[in-house]
Amino acid sequence: VRILVVTGSDEQYFPLLDDLVQSLRQWQPAPFDDIACFDLGLASASRDRLAPLVSHLVVPGWDLPVAEELRVNKPALRALTVRPFLPRYFPGYDVYLWIDADAWVQERFAIECYVASAARGLLGIVPHTHPAYATPPHMLRWRREVAATYFGAEADAIVRWDTYLNAGVFALRADAPHWASWARWFAKGLESSQGMICTDQAALNYAVWRDGLPVGLLPALCNWVCH
């Protein structure tokens, strides 16, 4: 099984990206094969520092119908729109593990849990649920408003709000049906919002529950929300 870890960053997030990459390189041998990074606006010095540490360094395009205003003013949103298309950007791997640039890996077992889940054909992912977390009303309200804008009133009955999946870290097999479903619903949501609301997480949650996609829910420790 060939495993690719993928992340992405602009220059503002580069210090965090650098920490993530260093955390991934703490093991020999590593519990994955390669690291890939999307350049979303890195300075040349940052690219030079990163290049020898990763196997792929790619400037992505816009893969979904995001409004021109956002494309111009928020180019880093490509970190969201690339996610349903990782096998196309980096062919030849069996499992793709996305990790947001503002995360870092403390324990090897977490990577192994994601990969093991994906290898079984499941979406390896952590729900944003734990007794230690506070979910303020405005956050839940925003999630529901976005879902309604994206998919209509029926979304409120379909999405499992008590098991809201955190797309900041996830793993999927290359041949999983989730990629196409995610891309389809993400595109529909963008079209419904005239391309002005760009949220991969809302689309992924809807796709999972709407299309009955298989999920391997991992414990909060595998994607702990520190704040």
mmCIF file of all heavy atoms in Angstrom, residues 95 162 190:
data_model
loop_
_atom_site.group_PDB
_atom_site.id
_atom_site.type_symbol
_atom_site.label_atom_id
_atom_site.label_comp_id
_atom_site.label_asym_id
_atom_site.label_seq_id
_atom_site.Cartn_x
_atom_site.Cartn_y
_atom_site.Cartn_z
ATOM 1 N N VAL A 95 -3.566 5.167 -0.846
ATOM 2 C CA VAL A 95 -4.277 5.887 0.217
ATOM 3 C C VAL A 95 -3.751 7.312 0.276
ATOM 4 O O VAL A 95 -2.533 7.544 0.214
ATOM 5 C CB VAL A 95 -4.094 5.192 1.589
ATOM 6 C CG1 VAL A 95 -4.626 6.074 2.718
ATOM 7 C CG2 VAL A 95 -4.806 3.839 1.611
ATOM 8 N N ASP A 162 -24.940 15.715 15.206
ATOM 9 C CA ASP A 162 -24.259 15.222 16.392
ATOM 10 C C ASP A 162 -22.995 14.447 16.041
ATOM 11 O O ASP A 162 -22.258 14.008 16.925
ATOM 12 C CB ASP A 162 -25.197 14.324 17.221
ATOM 13 C CG ASP A 162 -25.689 13.111 16.436
ATOM 14 O OD1 ASP A 162 -25.676 13.173 15.182
ATOM 15 O OD2 ASP A 162 -26.079 12.118 17.062
ATOM 16 N N LEU A 190 -21.672 25.152 -4.398
ATOM 17 C CA LEU A 190 -21.094 26.389 -4.914
ATOM 18 C C LEU A 190 -22.031 27.048 -5.920
ATOM 19 O O LEU A 190 -22.220 28.272 -5.903
ATOM 20 C CB LEU A 190 -19.736 26.099 -5.553
ATOM 21 C CG LEU A 190 -18.585 25.889 -4.561
ATOM 22 C CD1 LEU A 190 -17.410 25.216 -5.242
ATOM 23 C CD2 LEU A 190 -18.156 27.225 -3.947
#
